[in-house]
Amino acid sequence: AQSVTQLGSHVSVSEGALVLLRCNYSSSVPPYLFWYVQYPNQGLQLLLKYTSAATLVKGINGFEAEFKKSETSFHLTKPSAHMSDAAEYFCAVSERRMNYGGSQGNLIFGKGTKLSVKP
Amino acid sequence: EAGVAQSPRYKIIEKRQSVAFWCNPISGHATLYWYQQILGQGPKLLIQFQNNGVVDDSQLPKDRFSAERLKGVDSTLKIQPAKLEDSAVYLCASSLVGTSGREQFFGPGTRLTVL
């Protein structure tokens, strides 16, 4: 069964510092991988996704993530944190299927990492 | 383009009462999902619809939870009777189709508190 592990339930950085949020997945084949962000009292918004093209994926708001098959990781980074980045971040995996049918497309989420940004 | 709409945004009920949540997906999206997000955890899929048919309800507690998507557009999720452990945010999401790799668009959620 597929699973996602996010290391660190809470990460705190200073404004302007590097943001690094860790995500490791478990899957027998390379899956589709996603990062979503959730602001307080809002739904989830897609930051970026990996679907087997380039291993370095660029997303919105200056975030990027690198797919590393050997490490089964998909860590999220941003060179310089901004106060508006304070939110909860979820890594998710979706099983890879070649044909539609059944339950593919389901997202399995990690427990989330809450990012705090100090002025 | 309007996003996924959900109502109500907040609901407080007592245990053993019933409650219903409504979701209107993005226009043209064939696939609709209901997720349960318990405090401190990531969302967990409850049920997935493709048009008005159920694709996956393996994690739906069918003794108390039910969901329908009449006419393949709006959807309603019901809990009857509610338990304390049902306190969570219920998120609705939609996508163009249900294939892997497709982005799911999420609504703001309904926060349920069961007392």
Side-chain angles (χ1 to χ4, degrees), chain A residues 71-87:
Chain A
E71 298 177 9
T72 61
S73 69
F74 191 56
H75 301 331
L76 182 71
T77 60
K78 182 174 180 178
S80 177
H82 192 271
M83 296 295 290
S84 61
D85 295 327

Side-chain angles (χ1 to χ4, degrees), chain A residues 41 43 49 95 102 104-106, chain B residues 9 48 55-56 98 100-101 104:
Chain A
N41 298 316
K49 66 178 181 180
E95 185 178 13
Q104 76 264 31
N106 292 354
Chain B
R9 291 295 311 276
Q48 176 186 348
V55 173
D56 183 0
S100 297
Q104 294 183 23

